């Protein structure tokens, strides 16, 4: 008999620390666009980047309670151990919201090397007997640092039990084929997914934002979101993806 599978829906968006294309920092506007144009009732995970302030103590920017009330999603970082500090909403700008049907089994925060401090949030979750791993991250602009960051993440994953894994975020990799940083040689597993352009927001040409998956999961489709608010609220467009998650045989 074929292994059971189900579809997992997620959205990745770099919100540019709520700085819009008019140069104004307006967290309320970003939040409204997130709820009105980016999120839909089918979305089971929202992965934001640059959602905390850049400098320590990395204060959060959004009204978390209002987002939860509007979307029905649950803020992953309510526990202090799951965020950078008391005033943060996530880990170095990476903030996750999850559907309450997902039972969170473990959350790990992984520091990634680089001049600009970056990190990854690794979530093991389950629902109805299905297990998956969701990773939210934001990589460096430098190719050399991206390789070092993904090598660090790959070593972390090597020490964990294997399960279908979804890598989501602003990976800052402009080459559709992914380059060395996203290769099996560096990550230890083959992460695969489409590369539609998401940057810059008004006329995207670079596929900086990605959703990638390891077998037996696969990205069944990915689309770049657009809207009047999206074009104003950030320098990136959001990327929505559907992933078929199949249990290992």
């Amino acid at each position: 008999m074929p292994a059971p599978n189900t579809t997992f829906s997620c959205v990745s968006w770099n919100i540019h620390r709520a700085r819009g294309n008019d140069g104004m920092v307006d967290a309320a506007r970003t939040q409204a666009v997130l709820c009105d144009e980016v999120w839909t009732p089918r979305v089971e995970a929202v992965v934001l980047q640059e959602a905390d302030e850049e400098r320590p103590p990395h204060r959060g920017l959004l009204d978390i309670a209002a987002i939860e009330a509007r979307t029905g999603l649950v803020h992953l970082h309510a526990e202090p151990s799951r965020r950078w500090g008391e005033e943060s909403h996530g880990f170095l700008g990476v903030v996750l919201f999850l559907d309450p049907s997902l039972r969170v089994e473990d959350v790990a925060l992984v520091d990634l090397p680089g001049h600009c401090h970056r990190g990854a949030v690794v979530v093991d979750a389950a629902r109805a007997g299905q297990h998956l791993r969701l990773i939210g991250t934001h990589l460096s602009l430098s190719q050399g640092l991206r390789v070092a960051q993904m090598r660090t993440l790959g070593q972390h994953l090597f020490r964990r039990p294997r399960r279908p894994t979804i890598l989501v975020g602003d990976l800052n990799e402009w080459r559709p084929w992914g380059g060395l940083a996203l290769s099996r040689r560096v990550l230890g597993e083959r992460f695969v997914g489409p590369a539609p352009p998401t940057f810059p927001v008004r006329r995207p040409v670079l596929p900086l934002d990605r959703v990638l998956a390891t077998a037996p999961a696969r990205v069944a489709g990915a689309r770049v979101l657009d809207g009047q608010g999206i074009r104003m609220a950030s320098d990136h467009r959001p990327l929505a993806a559907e992933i078929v998650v199949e249990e290992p045989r």
Side-chain angles (χ1 to χ4, degrees):
M1 293 179 63
N5 65 71
T6 188
T7 301
F8 179 77
S9 174
C10 67
V11 172
S12 176
W13 191 26
N14 183 326
I15 67 170
H16 199 213
R17 298 186 175 88
R19 183 178 297 277
N21 280 309
D22 55 4
M24 300 293 293
V25 176
D26 188 343
R29 172 177 61 188
T30 301
Q31 186 171 306
V33 173
L34 172 62
C35 294
D36 295 338
E37 297 185 19
V38 177
W39 172 81
T40 66
R42 292 187 59 199
V43 172
E44 296 165 281
V46 172
V47 181
L48 303 178
Q49 304 89 45
E50 296 193 20
D52 292 331
E53 291 182 349
E54 183 174 11
R55 297 180 182 277
H58 302 295
R59 295 183 182 91
L61 298 170
L62 304 174
D63 184 337
I64 297 299
I67 294 172
E68 288 184 314
R70 177 69 185 278
T71 65
L73 300 177
V74 177
H75 180 229
L76 176 74
H77 309 272
E79 296 179 15
S81 62
R82 296 179 179 179
R83 56 183 189 264
W84 172 265
E86 288 186 10
E87 299 179 81
S88 304
H89 287 161
F91 185 57
L92 298 169
V94 179
V95 176
L96 278 70
F97 294 87
L98 301 178
D99 188 272
S101 67
L102 289 163
R103 176 171 54 86
V104 175
E105 299 174 321
D106 183 70
V107 177
L109 306 181
V110 182
D111 281 280
L112 302 179
H115 175 69
C116 295
H117 203 166
R118 299 291 170 94
V121 179
V122 183
V123 184
D124 283 358
R127 63 176 178 187
Q130 177 197 57
H131 298 82
L132 61 87
R133 177 170 293 137
L134 178 65
I135 304 171
T137 193
H138 181 195
L139 301 184
S140 173
L141 290 167
S142 161
Q143 177 176 305
L145 284 177
R146 287 197 300 275
V147 171
Q149 290 165 351
M150 287 291 90
R151 182 58 177 166
T152 299
L153 182 59
Q155 290 172 331
H156 172 84
L157 296 176
F158 181 77
R159 297 191 298 271
R160 301 177 71 101
R162 293 189 66 180
R163 61 170 60 190
T165 300
I166 305 163
L167 177 64
V168 180
D170 177 1
L171 305 187
N172 269 317
E173 176 54 68
W174 57 269
R175 291 164 296 191
W177 56 91
L180 179 60
L182 304 182
S183 69
R184 183 172 186 172
R185 177 180 175 186
V186 168
L187 274 168
E189 289 193 78
R190 188 166 179 253
F191 283 78
V192 179
T198 58
F199 182 89
V201 66
R202 293 197 179 278
R203 188 168 294 179
V205 294
L206 300 178
L208 302 187
D209 305 274
R210 303 283 180 91
V211 176
L212 308 174
T214 65
R218 59 181 176 84
V219 182
R223 60 191 181 92
V224 180
L225 305 183
D226 193 13
Q228 184 176 355
I230 287 171
R231 293 195 179 201
M232 180 56 70
S234 176
D235 56 346
H236 287 245
R237 290 195 191 181
L239 181 66
E242 301 284 333
I243 303 99
V244 174
V245 183
E246 185 173 296
E247 290 291 319
R249 296 179 184 273

